[in-house]
Every structure is written in C-alpha cells, then in structure tokens.
Amino acid sequence: MEEEFKLFNDLLNIGCCKLCAVRYLCKKHIDFSNVEEYLFENRFHENAVKTDDETIYNMDYKKIKTNPCIVCLGLLQEESLTQIIQSDKLEKAKQYDSEVFTCSISMPAAILLRERSMQIYLKSQFPTFYKENTEIPLNRVWKVFVKNELGRYLQKEFENSDTCNFSINVAMSYALDIEELDHLRKMQPKMYLERATQRRKYNCELFSRKGVITALSNTPSNNFMTNYPVPPEIPSEFLQVKDIECKHNSIFFAGRYTKYSRDLSQSPWIIDGVKTMETSVQEIIFDSIKNVLGISENNLKFSSSGREDCDVRCLGKGRPFYIEVLDPVKTQISFKEFREIEKEVNKAALIGVFHLQNVDRSELTKVKEGEEEKTKDYNALCLSRDPVTQEQLDKINVCGKVEILQKTPIRVLHRRPLAIRNKTIYEMKAKAVEGEPNLIDLHLNTQAGTYVKEFVHGDFGRTTPNIGEIIGTEVDIIALDVTAINLDWPREIEYGSNDHTTSSDNNDISCRLIFSTLVAATSCYTIWEVTAAARITKC
Amino acid sequence: MLLCTTKQLDLNKPLPQRNILESIADKINDKKIFLSVHERYYEHKYCVALPGISQDIHQKVGFHTNRVCLLSLAENHPIRKEDKNISRINFKVSETLDRLQNKVSGKSKRGAQKLHKSSIICYIECSDDTNYPVYSCVEGKLVEINDKLITNPNLLKAKPDSDGYIALLLPVLSMYEDLKSSMLTKEQYFCLGSI
Ligand SMILES: [Zn+2]
C-alpha cells in the first residue's frame, strides 16, 4: 500500500488529474464512477503528502483551481465534461428517441506522446510497482467518467457498446497538438522526412494516429527522453470539443406491396442521369414514409423479394419488401403510424402497401430466400397469330411440369451476363377468352427467376420449350400479372384489431376499408376480363 | 419488354389516376394488331454496301431498344430471294478464328470477339456451290452466335427475322446513333431494289 500512496501522491504532485493518478494504480477492479469511495476506504486522504499547510489531494477537489492534466489534457476532469454537456453539438443526440446510448471518444494524438512519457517516468520512478501497459486505458475510464452525467442530461440509459444501437462519438481537439507532435520529427527523422515528402501516399497527414503509434514504438526510452520532457509538462490548454457525432444503427420496416399500374417501375429508372419515369414503387413508398414519419428518402434503402417489370402488375397479396432506415432518429413507430403510411401510399391507387411493420435485421435473409427459392404465380394474356383451337389449349393443359432452358433474354442482355439457366414451370392452365379467338388466358406457377415473357414468345428460340413451340404457332404476350409470390413473410398484420393504439379513429376504419376493397379487386379481376372490351382483332 | 410499345404511346399521358381497372383496358386497347416480337421490339435497318466490299451484301440489323443488335439476312439477299438450299454454315472464318469459340463473361461481355463493320461472321454455303459471307455490319462485340443454325441452317430462310437470326452483337455505344443512321430504312431499301 505504501508504494501506492507514494505513486498516487507523486502523480498528483507532477500535475496528473485524480482519475489519471488512479488509472496508474493499475487496479482493474476499481469502479471509476466512484473513485472517492475507493480512495476513502483505502485511506488515501490520510496519507496525503502535505506541502505549505495545504493538502494537494483534497476530498473536495472541485474547489481547487486545477491545471489541465499532464496526461489526459483534461479529458477526465470536470472542465471537459461540462464543456461536452454544454456543447450545442450535443443537441442532436437529444432528438433521437433511443432510450439507451453508448459513447466513445476521439482524442488528439498528443495524448499518445504524453502517455508514453508517463510510462517512461513511472518505469524509472516506480520500477517494482509499475508494469508497462497495465494502467487502465484512458478511453475506458472516460466512458465511466461521463456516462452518468451524460445519461442524466440526455435522459437515456448508458448501455454497453456491443449491444447498444445508438452511439455518440465525441471528438476532442487540442490547440497545441501539432506543436507537441513535432517532437516526433526529432525522434524519428527518417520516417517523418519520408512522410513529409510523400504527402500523397500518407493522405497529406503528417501525424496520423497510426503513424504516431509506429513512431513511438520505434523510439527507445533514451531517444524519447532527449527529445521530450519526462514527465510531461503541465499544458497551458484544456482539450476542446471539436465535434459530436450521433449514429443509430439501421432499423427495418417490412411489408408487401401490390402494383396496379403498368407504367411504373419498382425503382427510379435513370438513363444517362435522367429520370425517365415520373415516379416508382420505391418513390411512392418513400414519399409516404417521409410525409408520415418525417424521414428523408436519403436515409431509406429499398429491397424486395425480386421485382416485376414496369409493365407488369403485382396483385394478390403482393410482393414482400423491406426498407432499411439508416441512422433513424425516430425508432418507435406505432401501429397507427404504419397504417397511416399505408393509407398515404394507397391514395394514388398506383400501388398498395400492406402489413407494414418493424422487423429485426435477422429476418431479412427470408427476402433473398423468397427471391431465389419460392415459386411465383402468374397470369399471362397471350396473343396468337392464328385463332386458338381447343386442341392447342389442351396441349398446354396436359404439359404438367415443364423443364425449360432459358438463355438470358435479349431485352436484359445489355445489363446481365449471358447464361443458360434451367427453370421449371410447375403448372400451367390455359383458357380461351370469350369473344377473343386469338387470346389465351394462361395461368402459370413457375420457379423463382423464370422469365415468363420469354417463356411465352420464345425469344427467337432462346427459351425452349416455349408456349409458341408447344402449340405450334407464333405467340406473343400482351399483358402479365404476378398473382402470387409464395413467401409467407413478413407476418400478417391483424387489421381488425387495433388494440395497440389508444383510440380507434376514422382513419383506421377507412384504412381497413381500402384494404379489403383492393384485395377484392385484385383477386376478382383477371387480365382477360378487363380486356373483353379491348376488341383485339387480327390484322 | 411490353414497356417499349406502351411507353411510346403513353409518353405524354399523365399517370393513370382513375379506377385501377380502366387503366388496364387502355393498355390493352393499344395492341390491336398481332405483331411479331421482332416487329414490336426492334427497329430494323438495312445494310447493303460496306466500305471495301465490292458487291451488295443485303443484310439486316434489328436494333433492340436496349441497343443489342440482331443480325439477319435481308429480303433481297439471293439466298432468300432465290430460295437457295443452304448446305452448311461455316463459322470458322479463318485458320485461326472460329466464331463458335466466342465466349463472353460478365455484364460487360468480357472476352468477346471484337468486330469491325466488315468482319466476317460466317460463310453460308449453298448446294449450288455458291458461298456468301455474312458481315458484322456493326462495330462492337460478338455476344452470341445462333447455334441452332449449325444443325438447322435452313432456319435462316424459314424464319429469317426470328429464330433464324445469325448473331447477337453489342455495338460500340459511342458510335451507335451514327451506325443506325448510316443504314437504310425499309422504304429506302425496297426503293433501291426496284431501281
Ligand atoms: Zn488526466
């Protein structure tokens, strides 16, 4: 214990802050949020060295005019904590609705230099007690030092950084940083000459953190001592808050969308930097999220279980999708807010969104699985060059399961590699269309990734067999609907019960009505019913 | 793919705001006439003369909206016009160059054989001992040879515009518009034939 008292008092004496002095006691079990208790219980105050009738170490140390610590430059002193709390840069951290937070610190590199100087000092002064690198790291102590007060100010609970989704990084700057680091040039002249001449290689940064660490580890104690004071001198400046960055891990919304328009692509369609379509599935959903939750589209990323072409409708229960919300300020979205987003989306009747909800990141693999493994149902309206006979329809209906070979369709060949793929059509049902002798109403169940349009017209024999080949005439496809994507994800929302919300107002009721109407509309109408009026005639 | 037709027709129309079902009827109304796939999605241009080639070549290039080119024989090509019997199509165009060895990989079709306008794609050998070279007509990359022609060379005549295509080519994009305008339209081509 004697050696500990001696070291502790000595460090205070040369200008260390109290927490740094305790750090160098190298005791892992000390609770840094309450060092007073440790010091009191171990009778540090009774063993304080007295000079000029005044205790250097005083229990009420706040009243003492303190110098910036010679190691942490004030990081573990009240001054910097007050500065952080009072910084207007911390305001944005308050806006996040996260109930927990974690924090980290970015320190100027001059601290590394001072820490090295301290190590050399302690090794020479307390060789039996101090073992290099056994002191408690500065950043760890800083976290403990600030967490309670920061938590009180932000009204958030501190959480361990591994599990916490919301983190605050405080970057501190030191006015004399470059001036002090300049001593490294004398310690490692060759290295810094090289860095100075090859600025581009080192990103114009002479004293990078990594470079400082390398330089220090290559510098023996005697070289260090001739070029830098040991122990370090008392600094004239405290650290200043340079920046405070907040970051919340992504959260995810999932749902299913239906698409009723044949003039709408899934994502913005950009050719040579120009948006070619007015809007898209993605943009409609993003706009609605923005309107209801105030989240900018720049923070949203859309993914789905495959996509349909812009002229293909997606009906039935729709296509599973999810949206990644980057750095969300608002993470707690109510049942009612999700219903409002749906209502907003469904307004224009171009698309519909249902079952919108929060999902965990771990669930997202299901979407890719759906894209690659789950079957899809389609309804294709096909046009034959010649009037279709019952015999031809029968040929399709007796096919059963069909294995096809499909070369990458010419229409996507400019943006996809050329390949031949085996795909399976599991089931087909062909029906005549009343009053339209050249039309075939074709229902298919296919393996994921089958290009249905090419299966119908054959793509110049590049997909075989194809419908034209099967019925022995030229066939084209004039309309296509996805009627089912057979993936049960995400879970279905119970629209009937809104116990989750405090009040069931008119919005919820009308939302439910829109939903049921759309489901009815999309399941009743097949393509050809709509085309009965189309009067397609043969040229 | 359907986009190509509907988009041209609806370019200036506002997005459908009406009842969901009406808007579909609109779309389908647009397609009253049966058009083959090659008619609906390709713009056909004719290539008759090539620099450095003395005789007329009578070839046709189908430009897809995505700029992939489909190479075929034009209507007035002697093989089509005189209904010649094709005995073989030879894709080995020189001692060292076999078009059937063409392999492409990736989106950008790496490893493709490079083509100039007058590069020979194949020789069509007819049973009357005539022999016709087929030219690329397009500067760019060879994407695919229609391998069905190996076993069934007469597809070239039977379905010249569809299953009997000769090759798929990817033109150099910077020269795309010039290339297209350097070729004849259908009207110009048939005018030419009648002179
Ligand atoms: Zn300190």
Side-chain angles (χ1 to χ4, degrees):
Chain A
M1 229 35 212
E2 202 53 41
E3 193 78 349
E4 280 182 39
F5 295 144
K6 227 174 103 192
L7 182 141
F8 183 74
N9 285 321
D10 183 71
L11 293 191
L12 293 181
N13 206 14
I14 60 171
C16 277
C17 70
K18 187 164 52 173
L19 285 178
C20 278
V22 178
R23 284 202 302 128
Y24 286 108
L25 294 175
C26 306
K27 295 246 177 318
K28 286 204 172 66
H29 64 270
I30 296 176
D31 174 9
F32 276 88
S33 66
N34 198 356
V35 288
E36 302 301 342
E37 195 179 281
Y38 175 82
L39 296 174
F40 185 78
E41 279 175 6
N42 292 283
R43 303 172 162 268
F44 273 75
H45 59 293
E46 289 166 17
N47 293 288
V49 178
K50 291 189 168 123
T51 53
D52 301 342
D53 295 324
E54 200 188 3
T55 317
I56 291 170
Y57 167 62
N58 187 314
M59 287 294 282
D60 194 11
Y61 78 105
K62 277 185 200 169
K63 284 180 185 162
I64 301 174
K65 170 96 176 113
T66 46
N67 60 274
C69 169
I70 56 168
V71 193
C72 70
L73 301 169
L75 201 61
L76 302 181
Q77 291 167 289
E78 286 298 322
E79 275 80 356
S80 87
L81 181 57
T82 313
Q83 221 196 100
I84 292 167
I85 302 273
Q86 287 173 354
S87 168
D88 50 5
K89 295 182 176 105
L90 193 59
E91 280 307 303
K92 62 187 165 206
K94 274 186 145 180
Q95 291 160 14
Y96 286 77
D97 71 353
S98 175
E99 287 168 350
V100 292
F101 78 103
T102 187
C103 55
S104 57
I105 180 82
S106 303
M107 295 173 277
I111 288 182
L112 296 170
L113 196 68
R114 287 173 168 269
E115 283 187 309
R116 175 78 179 132
S117 169
M118 278 303 287
Q119 286 185 342
I120 294 168
Y121 175 74
L122 289 165
K123 267 201 296 188
S124 68
Q125 298 295 306
F126 304 91
T128 53
F129 180 82
Y130 176 73
K131 300 279 172 292
E132 206 172 322
N133 292 328
T134 55
E135 65 267 26
I136 314 301
L138 185 47
N139 54 358
R140 205 150 87 207
V141 175
W142 178 80
K143 245 185 234 191
V144 179
F145 172 61
V146 298
K147 68 175 189 185
N148 289 337
E149 206 147 331
L150 209 53
R152 242 192 318 277
Y153 175 77
L154 297 171
Q155 295 182 315
K156 299 184 200 300
E157 196 79 32
F158 178 82
E159 201 179 87
N160 200 335
S161 45
D162 307 337
T163 52
C164 191
N165 282 320
F166 178 55
S167 53
I168 301 170
N169 181 268
V170 180
M172 303 293 280
S173 62
Y174 177 47
L176 306 169
D177 199 44
I178 300 292
E179 196 177 304
E180 290 192 16
L181 289 169
D182 212 52
H183 295 286
L184 285 168
R185 292 223 245 195
K186 290 175 280 168
M187 297 177 202
Q188 295 292 330
K190 243 175 90 182
M191 173 180 164
Y192 279 98
L193 186 67
E194 194 197 24
R195 287 183 83 94
T197 48
Q198 297 184 38
R199 291 237 154 178
R200 185 168 303 181
K201 182 173 164 191
Y202 297 105
N203 224 351
C204 296
E205 204 183 359
L206 192 57
F207 299 111
S208 72
R209 200 174 171 80
K210 217 176 134 197
V212 171
I213 291 169
T214 313
L216 288 173
S217 69
N218 291 341
T219 308
S221 316
N222 52 354
N223 175 355
F224 187 94
M225 288 167 81
T226 52
N227 292 306
Y228 194 82
V230 173
E233 284 168 355
I234 290 176
S236 56
E237 303 263 348
F238 278 99
L239 293 180
Q240 300 293 321
V241 175
K242 188 167 95 188
D243 201 10
I244 296 175
E245 280 170 13
C246 302
K247 179 102 187 102
H248 196 293
N249 286 346
S250 293
I251 58 166
F252 300 90
F253 302 159
R256 298 182 84 109
Y257 78 81
T258 50
K259 175 167 155 309
Y260 313 117
S261 168
R262 292 195 188 279
D263 249 331
L264 192 67
S265 62
Q266 194 197 60
S267 45
W269 192 322
I270 293 156
I271 295 173
D272 301 330
V274 183
K275 218 170 85 175
T276 57
M277 312 265 279
E278 245 175 89
T279 186
S280 62
V281 172
Q282 179 188 307
E283 286 163 282
I284 294 171
I285 299 176
F286 283 8
D287 283 349
S288 304
I289 290 176
K290 193 177 175 180
N291 288 347
V292 176
L293 302 177
I295 302 171
S296 153
E297 64 270 19
N298 298 329
N299 285 22
L300 299 172
K301 269 165 80 179
F302 186 89
S303 301
S304 66
S305 190
R307 55 172 61 208
E308 59 285 314
D309 295 333
C310 64
D311 58 350
V312 173
R313 297 191 302 175
C314 184
L315 309 178
K317 283 186 171 181
R319 186 180 293 278
F321 71 93
Y322 71 83
I323 290 167
E324 177 174 6
V325 187
L326 301 162
D327 193 20
V329 171
K330 181 178 167 68
T331 58
Q332 288 146 28
I333 319 290
S334 69
F335 180 87
K336 204 174 140 194
E337 283 170 312
F338 279 128
R339 303 293 77 79
E340 271 172 40
I341 295 168
E342 290 174 354
K343 200 178 140 197
E344 183 87 9
V345 165
N346 302 352
K347 244 190 228 164
L350 293 172
I351 66 165
V353 163
F354 310 100
H355 307 298
L356 199 61
Q357 57 193 282
N358 269 312
V359 292
D360 193 75
R361 184 189 283 272
S362 62
E363 285 201 55
L364 305 179
T365 50
K366 302 260 177 61
V367 173
K368 284 290 151 221
E369 184 189 313
E371 184 167 283
E372 285 149 24
E373 290 165 25
K374 302 293 176 177
T375 67
K376 315 273 156 74
D377 294 351
Y378 292 94
N379 186 189
L381 186 67
C382 310
L383 179 62
S384 166
R385 183 176 279 284
D386 312 300
V388 181
T389 64
Q390 186 57 45
E391 194 189 340
Q392 284 176 314
L393 296 176
D394 291 344
K395 274 184 183 162
I396 297 172
N397 288 327
V398 299
C399 274
K401 195 167 135 185
V402 189
E403 303 285 341
I404 64 167
L405 273 180
Q406 190 155 55
K407 283 188 184 152
T408 306
I410 299 174
R411 75 184 152 94
V412 298
L413 202 50
H414 62 300
R415 54 183 168 92
R416 297 229 197 284
L418 177 60
I420 305 179
R421 290 180 192 83
N422 266 300
K423 293 287 169 192
T424 307
I425 312 291
Y426 294 103
E427 217 186 333
M428 282 193 284
K429 271 195 205 95
K431 285 187 285 185
V433 179
E434 213 183 307
E436 296 293 342
N438 291 52
L439 289 184
I440 304 170
D441 175 26
L442 181 66
H443 289 260
L444 312 100
N445 174 244
T446 74
Q447 187 184 345
T450 308
Y451 290 102
V452 176
K453 289 173 179 174
E454 279 69 22
F455 172 66
V456 171
H457 65 60
D459 203 22
F460 306 140
R462 298 172 78 260
T463 291
T464 56
N466 53 61
I467 292 292
E469 211 173 313
I470 291 169
I471 67 168
T473 186
E474 212 176 320
V475 177
D476 195 8
I477 180 163
I478 58 172
L480 182 62
D481 288 345
V482 179
T483 51
I485 289 150
N486 299 306
L487 169 69
D488 281 331
W489 186 90
R491 76 183 168 84
E492 294 198 0
I493 294 291
E494 295 274 340
Y495 281 85
S497 78
N498 38 14
D499 306 336
H500 313 286
T501 54
T502 45
S503 68
S504 72
D505 59 15
N506 289 337
N507 284 354
D508 290 313
I509 295 162
S510 61
C511 175
R512 246 179 296 155
L513 280 175
I514 291 174
F515 176 68
S516 51
T517 321
L518 287 178
V519 168
T522 56
S523 54
C524 291
Y525 287 93
T526 53
I527 298 173
W528 59 268
E529 279 178 273
V530 178
T531 58
R535 290 183 304 279
I536 298 171
T537 51
K538 202 183 154 215
C539 175
Chain B
M1 153 176 315
L2 297 176
L3 165 85
C4 319
T5 21
T6 54
K7 242 192 105 59
Q8 277 161 9
L9 290 159
D10 288 345
L11 212 53
N12 300 315
K13 264 198 218 169
L15 284 163
Q17 292 291 334
R18 287 157 293 164
N19 174 318
I20 299 159
L21 303 161
E22 269 180 68
S23 63
I24 304 150
D26 282 357
K27 294 289 164 281
I28 293 179
N29 247 332
D30 292 337
K31 300 171 189 119
K32 289 185 180 165
I33 308 162
F34 183 92
L35 287 175
S36 296
V37 169
H38 68 90
E39 292 166 306
R40 279 181 53 189
Y41 310 114
Y42 295 83
E43 182 183 351
H44 290 278
K45 290 284 207 147
Y46 291 79
C47 187
V48 176
L50 276 179
I53 312 291
S54 53
Q55 64 277 61
D56 289 350
I57 64 166
H58 293 287
Q59 284 183 217
K60 204 154 129 179
V61 177
F63 293 89
H64 193 277
T65 43
N66 69 9
R67 307 189 212 185
V68 171
C69 292
L70 188 74
L71 197 66
S72 60
L73 295 188
E75 285 79 347
N76 289 337
H77 192 284
I79 293 178
R80 285 184 71 179
K81 214 173 172 185
E82 296 162 34
D83 195 20
K84 293 191 172 202
N85 185 45
I86 301 168
S87 50
R88 185 174 97 104
I89 300 177
N90 180 10
F91 289 99
K92 198 160 191 286
V93 294
S94 78
E95 273 307 305
T96 52
L97 192 55
D98 186 347
R99 296 297 182 199
L100 296 178
Q101 297 299 312
N102 188 57
K103 294 247 173 356
V104 297
S105 67
K107 283 189 272 192
S108 59
K109 315 294 175 287
R110 277 187 310 277
Q113 293 177 9
K114 302 274 187 304
L115 302 169
H116 296 291
K117 284 186 180 181
S118 54
S119 297
I120 292 170
I121 299 293
C122 60
Y123 293 97
I124 308 172
E125 299 169 9
C126 299
S127 50
D128 65 357
D129 280 344
T130 50
N131 188 345
Y132 297 91
V134 173
Y135 297 95
S136 165
C137 303
V138 166
E139 185 161 341
K141 290 176 173 176
L142 178 62
V143 177
E144 178 183 297
I145 289 285
N146 183 3
D147 53 14
K148 288 202 170 61
L149 296 180
I150 304 167
T151 47
N152 187 5
N154 283 300
L155 254 187
L156 230 164
K157 261 183 349 182
K159 293 182 171 179
D161 294 322
S162 56
D163 296 26
Y165 73 98
I166 297 163
L168 294 177
L169 316 170
L170 202 61
V172 176
L173 293 186
S174 60
M175 305 163 86
Y176 185 75
E177 289 307 325
D178 287 346
L179 175 74
K180 236 165 98 174
S181 57
S182 74
M183 294 187 191
L184 304 177
T185 63
K186 191 171 184 173
E187 291 71 30
Q188 288 168 327
Y189 176 70
F190 285 105
C191 250
L192 192 82
S194 63
I195 294 169

